[in-house]
Amino acid sequence: MDVINALGRRKSAVARVYLRSGKGNITINGRTLEDYFKEETLRYIVRQPLNVTGTLADFDIKVNLDGGGIKGQAEALRLGISRALCEVDKEAYRPVLKSNGFLTRDAREVERKKPGQPGARRRFQFSKR
């Protein structure tokens, strides 16, 4: 099997995923999964598509992660892995991943700050006199 690549995005995080057959190693920016994501909940988010499809030990995954915070990066990586698994075998993996919501891009972004006010929606305190 040759290398399959996919892209995952969440907020301002971008994950470029390269999937090939192997033993289940996940490398992120040259570091292991456990070294990159210290929290167990974030590692769980990343492994969700592999657990649902039962392919945790079937593929080696190499990832370039950029931008955003650690939670956004983990969710971008989840989407990237899900899209890569769909390219491997659409009939087997797509229905399971879609029913769990792993193929949906969460489009929510931070609203920009407006000029003349302290935040996106926040206003300076109004003084009548």
Side-chain angles (χ1 to χ4, degrees):
M1 179 182 132
D2 52 326
V3 178
I4 292 172
N5 63 333
L7 190 75
R9 290 193 181 109
R10 170 74 171 101
K11 292 187 177 181
S12 61
V14 179
R16 291 186 301 270
V17 177
Y18 302 95
L19 189 122
R20 64 167 53 104
S21 57
K23 294 184 174 80
N25 300 324
I26 301 175
T27 310
I28 305 165
N29 293 347
R31 296 157 61 187
T32 63
L33 177 69
E34 287 74 22
D35 188 35
Y36 195 86
F37 292 115
K38 302 290 185 195
E39 275 188 54
E40 183 57 42
T41 54
L42 298 175
R43 291 196 293 262
Y44 174 75
I45 287 171
V46 170
R47 288 191 190 115
Q48 273 180 320
L50 299 168
N51 286 332
V52 165
T53 56
T55 57
L56 196 57
D58 295 350
F59 300 106
D60 282 344
I61 300 170
K62 184 176 174 281
V63 184
N64 291 334
L65 258 176
D66 188 41
I70 54 168
K71 175 92 162 131
Q73 286 185 348
E75 292 180 1
L77 181 50
R78 177 174 66 186
L79 178 62
I81 291 171
S82 300
R83 285 179 173 173
L85 286 172
C86 272
E87 286 188 38
V88 171
D89 190 358
K90 253 197 174 86
E91 291 81 31
Y93 301 140
R94 185 169 172 80
V96 180
L97 292 168
K98 190 149 181 71
S99 65
N100 283 294
F102 298 148
L103 294 176
T104 306
R105 185 346 184 157
D106 192 348
R108 294 177 294 174
E109 296 275 341
V110 176
E111 189 175 334
R112 77 176 193 88
K113 181 195 169 297
K114 314 302 187 302
Q117 58 193 64
R121 300 281 176 101
R122 178 96 172 102
R123 302 283 193 261
F124 290 116
Q125 186 173 349
F126 177 72
S127 175
K128 198 166 196 173
R129 288 174 191 84

